[in-house]
Amino acid sequence: MRLEIPRDCERIGSLQIYGLQKVYELDGGTGPHENDSMVERVPGEVLHDRMREMAIVVPVKNERLKLIEGVLVGIPSSCQVILVSNSPRGPVDRFGLEKEALENFGRFTGKKILVVHQKDPGLAKAFADAGYPHLLDKTGVVRSGKAEGMIVGTLLAKWLGKKYLGFVDSDNYFPGAVQEYVNEYAAGFAMNPGRNTFVRISWHSKPKVMENNLFFAKWGRSSVNSNAMLNRLLTQFSGFETEIVKTGNAGEHALTVDLALQLEYAAGYAVETHHYINLLEHYGGILESTDPEKVREKVTICQIESRNPHMHESKGDDHVEDMIDASLSVIYHSPICPEIVKQEIMENVRTRRGESALEEIAPVRIYPSLSELNLNEFMAGCDESLNFNAVTVRA
Ligand code: GDP
Ligand code: CO
């Protein structure tokens, strides 16, 4: 892969956010890893070295098997796949069908796939025993939701001894786009070899049909809103206006497992925006209570602009207002958010929602950092009970 070296960088405490990087060649050939002042070439071997240490978490809920299979086709073979499914087990056992399809697929390809159900009782027990009951519902199993599935995937990546962790949705129509994302994750890690690296993808375009023509939209409404507010927040801290953040709600993202285990996860649509906020809270040196050890650790966010168009299953746009509210909510309710940005957020909500706007934007559920969980207990729980309830295909 051949990528632009980022020109801009915003530094807030020990967090550095690099500007959006263009991709110049999806396949930059073999040979040395080299750069000039503008462009870096990360050869295929280096990408695969990173991928061998990478788990790709694929959250699934009721997706068509053909779509899931396409996503797996796109994930390079060096990666370990962790599929976390919350599909129903009755009356039709959709999870059973997924397992069967994946077993077959794993047999053909020799792919490393771990399949686990989000409601697996062994998993729930591992969380309870590890002193992290926050994720469990009244009946004692892991709550539903993509963010909850992501937390499960994060810990399973640790359980499997991986160093890097990437996320890819299971409803992507283009295997080639999935392949590109994973290559970009690997390139991001190769270019930023630190312990705390976060790679976030900004789609180049999203195809839509408008008046019988294809139209390639660049920015969705939710990213426009969350990027704008995150940039406003950064502007408040530095005193200089910035537009550095382009990936405020990038569902396609990857990070080192070490960093993932430090972060809080917000439930619902806010998970990605909250990662920015939580990094600022922990590493920005803004809060007095910030752990001084942490502020000394460097954290890098690298943003890469993908080339393939992004197209996923259309589930209607009804929830776009809720998505925007959820992202803005985590900014609003953060202790680092200054009054002036809070006011702007409420103006934004009132402009979009009119009469139905609440007096104050509702908070969303936030799961505490996984550093609160006893990792050894959790892993022992997985060793004990997961093997019986999950299907491992040549992991
Ligand atoms: P959108 O792309 O943000 O509109 O959201 P989607 O509905 O496409 O969900 C994103 C991904 O999360 C898809 O791959 C879904 O199958 C998956 N997903 C949604 N809900 C859940 C859940 O409760 N658990 C898990 N494990 N995955 C989920
Ligand atoms: Co989707």
Side-chain angles (χ1 to χ4, degrees), residues 15-211:
L15 176 67
Q16 44 182 8
I17 305 175
Y18 283 123
L20 195 62
Q21 292 165 249
K22 268 196 167 55
V23 172
Y24 289 120
E25 269 183 333
L26 289 176
D27 186 339
T30 53
H33 184 178
E34 59 194 0
N35 59 39
D36 56 31
S37 58
M38 309 283 278
V39 175
E40 183 152 336
R41 184 174 79 116
V42 189
E45 295 89 332
V46 173
L47 296 177
H48 278 277
D49 284 345
R50 296 296 176 284
M51 289 179 202
R52 273 186 278 279
E53 298 184 281
M54 193 185 300
I56 297 295
V57 172
V58 183
V60 177
K61 187 177 180 187
N62 280 335
E63 301 296 350
R64 288 180 285 165
L65 291 176
K66 284 257 187 311
L67 276 181
I68 304 176
E69 191 185 306
V71 168
L72 291 183
V73 168
I75 299 177
S77 69
S78 304
C79 302
Q80 165 75 50
V81 178
I82 300 175
L83 194 135
V84 184
S85 173
N86 193 22
S87 301
R89 311 187 85 161
V92 177
D93 184 5
R94 291 194 57 112
F95 178 62
L97 295 176
E98 288 165 3
K99 261 198 324 197
E100 214 176 279
L102 292 164
E103 256 171 336
N104 274 329
F105 186 79
R107 213 167 291 128
F108 299 150
T109 55
K111 225 180 178 59
K112 300 179 281 289
I113 312 174
L114 177 82
V115 187
V116 64
H117 198 274
Q118 195 159 332
K119 307 282 180 187
D120 183 308
L123 198 59
K125 185 170 180 302
F127 275 108
D129 291 350
Y132 196 90
H134 319 288
L135 208 60
L136 308 179
D137 68 10
K138 285 196 286 295
T139 64
V141 293
V142 172
R143 285 176 212 272
S144 291
K146 181 189 168 187
E148 289 76 357
M150 289 167 68
I151 295 179
V152 169
T154 300
L155 287 163
L156 292 179
K158 176 71 183 169
W159 180 54
L160 293 171
K162 294 295 162 182
K163 188 170 170 192
Y164 306 112
L165 166 68
F167 295 93
V168 175
D169 281 355
S170 56
D171 63 342
N172 197 311
Y173 277 106
F174 297 150
V178 172
Q179 183 190 20
E180 181 186 351
Y181 299 145
V182 177
N183 274 287
E184 281 153 1
Y185 297 162
F189 292 125
M191 292 176 81
N192 301 282
R195 206 164 81 96
N196 299 305
T197 297
F198 209 136
V199 186
R200 302 172 68 105
I201 308 290
S202 168
W203 313 319
H204 186 264
S205 65
K206 202 167 166 174
K208 287 188 174 145
V209 176
M210 283 175 107
E211 296 174 1

Side-chain angles (χ1 to χ4, degrees), residues 229-247:
M229 263 334 146
L230 285 169
N231 284 321
R232 281 290 299 126
L233 191 65
L234 294 182
T235 300
Q236 284 300 312
F237 298 137
S238 68
F240 288 87
E241 203 161 18
T242 178
E243 293 197 351
I244 197 104
V245 176
K246 305 284 187 202
T247 55

Side-chain angles (χ1 to χ4, degrees), residues 11-16 194-197 256-263 279-285 290-301 371:
R11 291 190 174 77
I12 311 98
S14 52
L15 176 67
Q16 44 182 8
R195 206 164 81 96
N196 299 305
T197 297
T256 54
V257 171
D258 280 341
L259 182 59
L261 292 175
Q262 296 300 318
L263 287 181
L279 286 171
L280 285 165
E281 290 170 352
H282 282 179
Y283 302 98
T290 313
D291 179 351
E293 283 293 310
K294 269 195 178 162
V295 180
R296 274 199 288 278
E297 273 189 50
K298 198 175 82 177
V299 179
T300 304
I301 296 182
S371 60

